[in-house]
Amino acid sequence: MTAPAPAPRPGAAVVRALEGRTSPTQPPPPPPGGPRPGERALRLLTVAVVALSAALLTGRAWLLALAAAPLVLLALALPRAYARRVETSAAVEPRRCFEGDTVTLRISVAHDGGAVRLDPGVTLGPGLRLDEVAVGASTVTLRHTALLWGRWSLGPVDLDVYDAGDIVRRTVRVEAAEVSVFPRPTQARFTPVPARLPQRLGEHASVQAGEGVEVVGVGAWVPGERQRRIHWPSTTRRGAVQLHRFAAERAADTVMLLDAFGDVIDPVTGVSSLDETVRAAAGLARAYLRTHDRVGVVSTGGTTRWLAPGTGDAAFYRIVESVLDVRRDRRFDGPGLERVPPPALPEGALVYVFTPLSDARMLKVLRNLQGRGRRPVVVEIPSGDPPVEPGDESGELGLRLWHADRDAMRFALRDSGVPVLRHVVGEPLDLALAPLLSGRVGGRGR
């Protein structure tokens, strides 16, 4: 896996906009309403108050001159008219993007009074990085980079509106817009064929005879039958018309079952098992949709979400949209998590289970599928080994037991007829699915 590119060093405008506001645990309090002194006015008043206090305490009159200078500057800089009414409008482009794309937030400001200076303060949500802040006379442009998939907030943005002399300011809050960041699908092209294909036209050759393009044998011509292609060697040998027999072409139903019971972070690489689970499932779903198959999705963990199988490019975006709320809805308790809704699994659908095999509740889900006559395909997402300090004998023993427990889990699944494939992060998913290409998969479990 290639190391991610280092983040660019933020500029001075970005540092000022994010100062004390990055990744808050709670929403920031609302800004104070009405006009109030600006930073320059506070500095001048501070100097004047300190000089007056020193003059009163020491009794030296010349210190009053030090207080007069900032007061004179403050009087000269007082605005004749400052912004009493400020209206803002925000536009986000795009509202849907993929990981690594740029999201631009443009804020337009309309006000009364004279010229103003704008100073934004950004409360940046997780999953995004602020790269650039451009401030104009009446606009503020913020450019972000989407780092992780999910639904993320671009703010809120507290906009300080100063008068021309930086003496009076008003603060208005621009409520944040939400963007949907789609995962980058893992590269995948292979689409293993399930053992049972529904009666729908598609691109997979079935075991039934039909009007496909794949030849499955030769048979005698029956009166009334269309002479599609005559097999001349057999016709000459037998003295009767012999025709090619073709396999019927059917479409497959596949369901991507995502393990969202938890998120395991690899202590060495920092890779998130939930991130890789969604990326791998998105890559395989796109591969099946390219062959005009129907694809559905089920996410288990906290709130169980499912989407009935669909086809076409629109189905891919519906699938991704349905799993974007996994981060928001993920909880670790609640009833009914180990049972997949029956409508989410059409008859004969091939079920792929993407899981790090780190939560025992996922085994209950797999047993439930097998009890309903399904034999899913488990795609294991690596989660890394727990860190062990050098020389820690108890830790090393615990790591060996942890490895043994996972090996026993894989053996139990394979022994019950469930294929367990291991996906390596950074490699095409085709390498993990290659063992399935030797035959049809997804028959009834034992």
Side-chain angles (χ1 to χ4, degrees), residues 155-233:
V157 179
D158 291 332
L159 195 61
D160 290 334
V161 182
Y162 292 85
D163 66 285
D166 284 355
I167 300 300
V168 180
R169 68 169 174 173
R170 299 176 64 96
T171 302
V172 294
R173 170 160 293 180
V174 181
E175 293 299 333
E178 189 178 69
V179 295
S180 299
V181 182
F182 297 161
R184 288 281 182 184
T186 301
Q187 181 181 356
R189 295 183 299 108
F190 293 162
T191 54
V193 182
R196 300 172 60 186
L197 291 170
Q199 298 296 322
R200 292 189 304 105
L201 293 178
E203 298 185 8
H204 301 294
S206 68
V207 295
Q208 300 174 347
E211 298 296 325
V213 297
E214 182 175 332
V215 178
V216 294
V218 178
W221 173 74
V222 178
E225 185 178 11
R226 181 168 61 96
Q227 297 184 10
R228 184 176 178 184
R229 285 184 60 183
I230 300 176
H231 189 259
W232 290 109

Side-chain angles (χ1 to χ4, degrees), residues 328-414:
R328 177 183 301 173
D329 294 341
R330 189 174 69 241
R331 295 183 289 113
F332 300 101
D333 58 357
L337 300 178
E338 293 84 12
R339 182 173 178 82
V340 178
L345 299 177
E347 185 66 26
L350 178 57
V351 182
Y352 290 93
V353 181
F354 294 86
T355 172
L357 291 178
S358 59
D359 196 306
R361 288 176 291 182
M362 200 61 199
L363 295 181
K364 296 181 181 180
V365 176
L366 295 173
R367 284 197 291 266
N368 175 261
L369 293 177
Q370 289 182 286
R372 291 154 64 178
R374 306 302 177 89
R375 191 182 69 177
V377 176
V378 174
V379 180
E380 182 182 357
I381 305 297
S383 58
D385 295 339
V388 177
E389 296 291 336
D392 184 1
E393 296 183 358
S394 299
E396 293 177 356
L397 178 60
L399 183 61
R400 292 176 58 187
L401 292 175
W402 187 77
H403 284 159
D405 181 69
R406 294 175 68 86
D407 291 339
M409 189 183 307
R410 299 186 190 99
F411 176 80
L413 290 174
R414 292 190 176 105

Side-chain angles (χ1 to χ4, degrees), residues 79-312:
R80 296 181 180 178
Y82 57 87
R84 290 180 171 83
R85 183 176 58 87
V86 180
E87 297 180 355
T88 61
S89 60
V92 180
E93 183 182 352
R95 287 187 174 270
R96 293 179 176 86
C97 64
F98 285 89
E99 293 174 312
D101 290 349
T102 299
V103 180
T104 302
L105 172 62
R106 292 184 177 88
I107 302 174
S108 300
V109 181
H111 59 87
D112 57 358
V116 298
R117 182 178 69 86
L118 305 178
D119 184 21
V122 181
T123 305
L124 190 64
L128 296 167
R129 183 184 69 222
L130 183 61
D131 294 330
E132 183 181 351
V133 177
V135 180
S138 59
T139 59
V140 175
T141 303
L142 308 175
R143 292 184 174 85
H144 308 75
T145 296
L147 301 179
L148 296 174
W149 61 269
R151 299 189 192 276
W152 308 118
S153 172
L154 294 179
V157 179
D158 291 332
L159 195 61
D160 290 334
V161 182
Y162 292 85
D163 66 285
D166 284 355
I167 300 300
V168 180
R169 68 169 174 173
R170 299 176 64 96
T171 302
V172 294
R173 170 160 293 180
V174 181
E175 293 299 333
E178 189 178 69
V179 295
S180 299
V181 182
F182 297 161
R184 288 281 182 184
T186 301
Q187 181 181 356
R189 295 183 299 108
F190 293 162
T191 54
V193 182
R196 300 172 60 186
L197 291 170
Q199 298 296 322
R200 292 189 304 105
L201 293 178
E203 298 185 8
H204 301 294
S206 68
V207 295
Q208 300 174 347
E211 298 296 325
V213 297
E214 182 175 332
V215 178
V216 294
V218 178
W221 173 74
V222 178
E225 185 178 11
R226 181 168 61 96
Q227 297 184 10
R228 184 176 178 184
R229 285 184 60 183
I230 300 176
H231 189 259
W232 290 109
S234 299
T235 300
T236 304
R237 184 172 59 254
R238 299 180 181 180
V241 177
Q242 303 290 317
L243 302 181
H244 286 283
R245 297 301 178 187
F246 298 89
E249 293 186 340
R250 298 287 185 258
D253 283 343
T254 56
V255 176
M256 310 296 165
L257 198 154
L258 311 182
D259 180 0
F261 284 114
D263 189 5
V264 183
I265 306 298
D266 192 324
V268 178
T269 62
V271 174
S272 164
S273 65
L274 184 59
D275 287 344
E276 295 304 323
T277 293
V278 174
R279 290 167 185 157
L284 188 57
R286 173 170 285 184
Y288 273 100
L289 290 173
R290 285 172 181 165
T291 57
H292 305 95
D293 296 322
R294 296 199 309 173
V295 181
V297 65
V298 180
S299 60
T300 60
T303 301
T304 300
R305 293 178 170 272
W306 61 276
L307 183 67
T311 186

Side-chain angles (χ1 to χ4, degrees), residues 192-193 352 377 419 421 432-441:
V193 182
Y352 290 93
V377 176
L421 311 175
L433 300 180
L436 301 180
L437 299 180
S438 58
R440 298 176 181 266
V441 293

